[in-house]
Amino acid sequence: MIITPQRAINILAENMSTIKQNQRQDLLQRRNQVVDMYGIEYYRQGDSTTPATIGISLSQDYIYLERFEFKLIISDFTSSISSMIPVTLQLQDGSITPNPHDHVIQAGLTSSPTTARNYRIYLEDVDLTPYFMAQHNMQWINGNGIYPADNLSNYDVLSACKYLKDSEVQKILSAGYRHISITADAPFNVTLVNYLKYSHVNR
């Protein structure tokens, strides 16, 4: 194929047009993207005076939430223990022997099934317990296990928000660091498994 001067000029012009178009597109805001966090686990301990509190971060760039759900796993309560290995001391002629002496501390862990009941779940201090119970036929947390069930069902925050005041929805769904707090009447271990999906501006 013979390249004439005019055809060569046309090819160069087409290439320059393509380059300029690509440069313009690079300067434009890209399309929105989606964050989809599935099965992220957060482990906490709580008791009757101290709630188990988990922080969930929502980007300042998020546009709308598509999914905000979680599951709770209640497990044996584990605590650290320490014991002092006894040292036999004797008193002789007004003196303690052996002197000096050392007390050896032995560290370890202990676990026992939780006896906690009366669980309640708050999101930004809004009590979502009755709405979560209604989602699952009033079945509620009653000991060690996976809740609401060992399947694909979860506690659905967006569904619960349909029954809340606008001010409460704003507290729960606004961008920032959202706090989920779980309370009960005795010590407990809880793992929160989070499912979060939202559309956000891509910078």
Side-chain angles (χ1 to χ4, degrees):
M1 182 179 196
I2 299 174
I3 303 294
T4 64
Q6 184 60 45
R7 176 158 176 74
I9 292 171
N10 290 341
I11 290 173
L12 289 174
E14 289 173 4
N15 288 343
M16 285 303 299
S17 175
T18 300
I19 290 171
K20 286 182 178 180
Q21 183 177 359
N22 290 338
Q23 287 176 339
R24 279 197 303 271
Q25 289 175 343
D26 288 341
L27 295 175
L28 295 175
Q29 177 72 50
R30 295 179 183 176
R31 290 184 177 181
N32 299 332
Q33 289 190 340
V34 173
V35 168
D36 192 355
M37 295 188 295
Y38 181 86
I40 306 299
E41 295 187 358
Y42 304 88
Y43 172 81
R44 297 292 187 273
Q45 291 183 320
D47 61 19
S48 58
T49 59
T50 306
T53 301
I54 294 111
I56 306 294
S57 183
L58 290 178
S59 168
Q60 299 292 335
D61 294 325
Y62 100 86
I63 302 169
Y64 62 90
L65 279 161
E66 298 179 35
R67 187 179 185 190
F68 192 175
E69 304 171 9
F70 57 85
K71 192 180 293 292
L72 299 180
I73 303 172
I74 306 297
S75 57
D76 289 349
F77 182 76
T78 303
S79 60
S80 59
I81 60 170
S82 59
S83 59
M84 185 179 297
I85 298 176
V87 178
T88 302
L89 302 176
Q90 296 179 352
L91 183 63
Q92 294 178 345
D93 300 328
S95 298
I96 296 176
T97 58
N99 190 16
H101 57 270
D102 296 322
H103 293 278
V104 179
I105 304 295
Q106 189 170 21
L109 294 174
T110 184
S111 63
S112 57
T114 181
T115 59
R117 294 291 185 272
N118 301 319
Y119 284 90
R120 300 200 76 80
I121 302 173
Y122 300 84
L123 213 162
E124 289 299 307
D125 297 325
V126 178
D127 188 356
L128 298 182
T129 306
Y131 309 105
F132 289 156
M133 292 177 72
Q135 289 174 11
H136 300 282
N137 299 318
M138 306 311 287
Q139 299 296 312
W140 197 234
I141 305 166
N142 60 5
N144 286 10
I146 300 174
Y147 299 93
D150 188 10
N151 54 35
L152 297 178
S153 61
N154 300 301
Y155 295 122
D156 190 334
V157 175
L158 297 183
S159 292
C161 284
K162 296 175 183 177
Y163 305 99
L164 301 178
K165 300 175 184 176
D166 289 343
S167 58
E168 293 174 325
V169 173
Q170 180 64 26
K171 285 176 66 176
I172 290 173
L173 300 185
S174 61
Y177 204 58
R178 306 295 95 204
H179 295 92
I180 300 173
S181 298
I182 301 138
T183 65
D185 59 8
F188 64 95
N189 280 1
V190 61
T191 299
L192 183 145
V193 186
N194 190 43
Y195 302 89
L196 183 65
K197 184 176 182 180
Y198 60 88
S199 177
H200 70 98
V201 176
N202 181 23
R203 290 181 178 272

